Amino acid sequence: MTPSGGPLRKIVHVDMDAFYASVEQRDRPELRGRPVVVGGSPNSRGVVCAASYEARAFGVRSAIPCSQARRLCPQAVFIPPDFRKYSEASRLIHGVFREVTDRIEPLALDEAFLDVTENRLGEPLAGKVAKYLKFRVREVTGLTASAGVGPNKLIAKLASGHRKPDGLVIVPPDAVEAFLAPLPIDALWGVGPATAERLRALGLQTVADLRTRRPEELAAHLGRWGLFLHDQAFGRDERPVETSREPRSRGAETTLATDIRDLDALVELMRHHAEDVAESLRRAGRRARTVTVKVRFSDFATITRSRTPEAPVAEAAELLALGEALLRGVLADDARAIRLVGLSAANLVAEDAPRQLRLPLPELQT
Ligand SMILES: [Mg+2]
């Protein structure tokens, strides 16, 4: 047992480095060493899906408008996303994960948690398991991944992001406090630029600073989410790795670089979510009965709106059409600026399940 009373776990978080951009650089050698931006065209209202490390050096990052990316880095090569390619790489990566364990929780096409407490390698040291995963991912896909090892999902995720690209950071249970203390608050889960600004206004710069505040105080400023933030500051996270052999939902979301209310820009962002979710459904062989849009406002209030179409949906265009309609409703009802938008598909049914028949006789419809 851990000091907090939870089970002792060994968790690895694997996260591909600049995934979409790296796939493009792998497949098009002329792009290697150059700033690459995957996303909308620089003249559209699209947003950046992924930026190569060369582009990041100019301040380009995910979820900023493409027009801004162009200003920051005029020499960048802009490429539209090709989700089929990323999905294929993702399939190979997940094959590598299954060499080690079936206890896998995918977070996106390019990242997942693995519970390696017990593993097929029979390896007691989670750090060695992580090394194996990195080596095999590179061998099979030609791409680099960063890995983080920790006693829970929170620490593993922070560790994988700590030394990108091609990083490996191992945080044993007795090193958790020391690892967390000096991190800037925006390293924590869910703390985007806008939240970080609010926290800094409260005099909080580092995780160590957060520990000096009582949870109720954080909750007063940030709502219930403040309690989770307080737990994070102490490295507490009891959530198990949730395997998704029978996924109940698929989703994607983005925290924006700045709070906005621009419908076109939000829909552009959602277009990428729809592509991502559609790929995920295609791989799982599922269709969705329910489509949900999640919106977090500038004051952290979070709402969801769902719609259940007549027939289950799976195509990106169908998902986007429903998502856009829901988003329009949210913007019409609420004047607050938006800091996070997400799209998810739930109530999944098998792709080959008989479609509900649309019979002409109403009494026969069940
Ligand atoms: Mg990644």
Side-chain angles (χ1 to χ4, degrees), residues 15-19 110 164:
D15 184 16
M16 302 301 290
D17 301 318
F19 183 50
D110 77 317
K164 272 180 156 287

Side-chain angles (χ1 to χ4, degrees), residues 306-326:
S306 297
R307 189 166 286 187
T308 301
E310 268 183 58
V313 290
E315 297 302 321
E318 302 171 313
L319 294 165
L320 180 63
L322 291 163
E324 180 175 348
L326 290 164

Side-chain angles (χ1 to χ4, degrees), residues 61-82:
R61 56 207 151 88
S62 302
I64 68 169
C66 289
S67 53
Q68 188 186 346
R70 157 101 343 148
R71 279 197 301 279
L72 288 166
C73 185
Q75 66 273 49
V77 184
F78 285 77
I79 297 179
D82 181 347

Side-chain angles (χ1 to χ4, degrees), residues 45-342:
R45 302 181 102 151
V47 293
V48 173
C49 277
S52 72
Y53 285 91
E54 295 85 356
R56 291 180 193 198
F58 292 86
V60 178
R61 56 207 151 88
S62 302
I64 68 169
C66 289
S67 53
Q68 188 186 346
R70 157 101 343 148
R71 279 197 301 279
L72 288 166
C73 185
Q75 66 273 49
V77 184
F78 285 77
I79 297 179
D82 181 347
F83 284 90
R84 280 187 183 273
K85 242 163 52 169
Y86 313 145
S87 180
E88 171 57 15
S90 175
R91 197 181 60 75
L92 294 172
I93 294 158
H94 280 262
V96 169
F97 295 164
R98 282 190 298 274
E99 292 174 13
V100 168
T101 181
D102 287 331
R103 302 199 60 188
I104 302 163
E105 178 180 341
L107 292 182
L109 284 179
D110 77 317
E111 58 176 302
F113 290 113
L114 286 74
D115 185 330
V116 303
T117 314
E118 308 284 339
N119 60 75
R120 296 205 167 104
L121 307 180
E123 172 55 65
L125 293 176
K128 282 198 179 171
V129 175
K131 266 187 196 156
Y132 172 87
L133 288 164
K134 276 169 56 74
F135 174 79
R136 285 286 294 147
V137 163
R138 180 153 207 170
E139 191 171 57
V140 169
T141 66
L143 302 166
T144 63
S146 292
V149 179
N152 58 44
K153 295 204 287 191
L154 168 68
I155 300 301
K157 171 125 173 135
L158 290 173
S160 74
H162 199 58
R163 213 165 287 150
K164 272 180 156 287
D166 203 14
L168 172 61
V169 174
I170 300 163
V171 184
D174 61 2
V176 165
E177 297 246 336
F179 169 72
L180 284 175
L183 294 182
I185 42 171
D186 51 6
L188 293 179
W189 229 339
V191 182
T195 320
E197 205 49 55
R198 291 167 72 130
L199 292 169
R200 282 190 206 106
L202 299 172
L204 303 168
Q205 305 280 346
T206 66
V207 176
D209 295 338
L210 264 183
R211 289 188 194 151
T212 65
R213 303 301 172 96
R214 292 185 311 121
E216 300 77 36
E217 189 188 343
L218 296 175
H221 289 284
L222 303 172
R224 283 180 51 199
W225 185 75
L227 302 177
F228 174 57
L229 192 63
H230 190 261
D231 275 344
Q232 280 196 67
F234 287 86
R236 292 184 206 121
D237 181 12
E238 301 292 326
R239 295 167 302 167
V241 167
E242 290 186 45
T243 57
S244 57
R245 208 170 297 158
E246 286 300 323
R248 279 172 302 168
S249 70
R250 298 282 177 160
E253 61 182 43
T254 303
T255 300
L256 293 147
T258 50
D259 298 348
I260 61 169
R261 274 188 60 78
D262 179 340
L263 176 69
D264 290 346
L266 290 167
V267 169
E268 267 311 308
L269 195 55
M270 195 173 274
R271 185 184 309 282
H272 301 311
H273 297 154
E275 296 272 9
D276 195 325
V277 171
E279 270 301 335
S280 184
L281 289 172
R282 186 149 44 225
R283 277 193 321 174
R286 294 285 186 278
R287 303 178 70 80
R289 287 199 192 280
T290 307
V291 173
T292 300
V293 162
K294 172 177 166 185
V295 169
R296 180 168 296 142
F297 295 105
S298 47
D299 61 358
F300 296 92
T302 304
I303 60 163
T304 59
R305 293 265 177 95
S306 297
R307 189 166 286 187
T308 301
E310 268 183 58
V313 290
E315 297 302 321
E318 302 171 313
L319 294 165
L320 180 63
L322 291 163
E324 180 175 348
L326 290 164
L327 188 58
R328 279 181 190 278
V330 172
L331 284 171
D333 292 351
D334 203 298
R336 288 174 285 185
I338 290 173
R339 67 180 309 266
L340 175 149
V341 64

